[in-house]
Amino acid sequence: MNTKTLRTTFVVMGLLLAVAPAWSQYRGRGYYERDGAFRLRLGSFLPEGSSEYWEENESEFTGDIGDLENVSFGADYLLSLSPRVSLQFGGTVYEGDTTQAYRDFVDNFGDEIRHDTTLSIASANLGVLLNLTGPDSPIIPYIGAGAGAYFWQLEEDGDFIDFRTVDDEIFSATLQSEGVTFGYYGLVGLEAPLSPRFSLFAEGRWTQAEDELSDDFESFGDIDLSGREFAVGISWNL
């Protein structure tokens, strides 16, 4: 996680805590005594990059996994089982991209040999959410965990070196691999009710998922799809 993301996350959580006294007048109205709630969230996802593919990529090309940090969007439906426990149905979409160049090679004109790398991940998950305080609290901390399917695509588009040729020929190509794998996640967050129907929340998620590369990357081993997401959003009772 870079400094900017960390700073933004703490600012948002700090604002939620700062305004808590102003919302304490709503105590006792039972915000979580509901049949269900719908949530939208906007965040930042940073891939973990702990696999053979990412390690070889960083050793051969400029940049690192942090360059793929980008915006994430998510939506969740909470089905209330009790005032403190809910089933969570949801999903997240993310796409990060960066431009990379060979570290030790240039073309005949002394220019960098570059390509664009893009990683896309979309998930569909089922989990459980547990509120750590009752519905009367002005700020409600919560934790959760779940699992689901992760749909992903990796693409490298640009110029590459064919080291199998005598002159290390440079060629242009679009290389792709995609798949679906099983993964799981954990989360912690804070929710601040604004009214009996609406609330704001801030949360952090950690995702664990990996899959075997195929297609144009068949011999490159596994790809790590794990990462950390920090998000803020709005929730409303249905």
Side-chain angles (χ1 to χ4, degrees), residues 35-46:
D35 293 330
F38 185 68
R39 287 182 164 187
L40 291 176
R41 50 188 160 82
L42 173 67
S44 176
F45 180 79
L46 174 61

Side-chain angles (χ1 to χ4, degrees), residues 60 121 219:
E60 188 170 359
I121 304 174
S219 61

Side-chain angles (χ1 to χ4, degrees), residues 53-109:
Y53 166 78
W54 294 119
E55 292 170 359
E56 292 187 1
N57 186 277
E58 289 188 14
S59 66
E60 188 170 359
F61 301 107
T62 57
D64 56 41
I65 193 66
D67 297 330
L68 288 173
E69 181 176 10
N70 208 354
V71 174
S72 61
F73 301 92
D76 301 293
Y77 172 71
L78 302 183
L79 177 62
S80 180
L81 302 179
S82 74
R84 291 198 181 189
V85 180
S86 299
L87 284 180
Q88 183 178 51
F89 305 86
T92 305
V93 294
Y94 149 86
E95 182 175 283
D97 61 87
T98 186
T99 299
Q100 299 179 286
Y102 283 89
R103 292 186 182 275
D104 303 318
F105 299 92
V106 294
D107 64 16
N108 294 334
F109 302 98

Side-chain angles (χ1 to χ4, degrees), residues 77-203:
Y77 172 71
L78 302 183
L79 177 62
S80 180
L81 302 179
S82 74
R84 291 198 181 189
V85 180
S86 299
L87 284 180
Q88 183 178 51
F89 305 86
T92 305
V93 294
Y94 149 86
E95 182 175 283
D97 61 87
T98 186
T99 299
Q100 299 179 286
Y102 283 89
R103 292 186 182 275
D104 303 318
F105 299 92
V106 294
D107 64 16
N108 294 334
F109 302 98
D111 296 327
E112 292 183 332
I113 305 170
R114 298 180 296 179
H115 67 273
D116 296 325
T117 299
T118 303
L119 175 66
S120 304
I121 304 174
S123 65
N125 301 313
L126 171 62
V128 177
L129 206 66
L130 172 64
N131 298 328
L132 300 181
T133 61
D136 294 344
S137 300
I139 293 291
I140 303 172
Y142 60 89
I143 59 175
Y150 291 80
F151 306 81
W152 61 273
Q153 182 182 66
L154 174 68
E155 179 179 284
E156 293 184 1
D157 180 31
D159 295 329
F160 303 90
I161 301 175
D162 187 351
F163 293 104
R164 298 170 298 180
T165 61
V166 176
D167 298 325
D168 293 339
E169 179 183 347
I170 298 174
F171 66 98
S172 297
T174 299
L175 309 176
Q176 292 183 334
S177 182
E178 60 184 13
V180 182
T181 188
F182 175 83
Y184 57 90
Y185 69 91
L187 64 85
V188 295
L190 296 173
E191 185 162 9
L194 298 175
S195 75
R197 290 183 60 85
F198 293 95
S199 62
L200 296 178
F201 66 92
E203 68 180 35

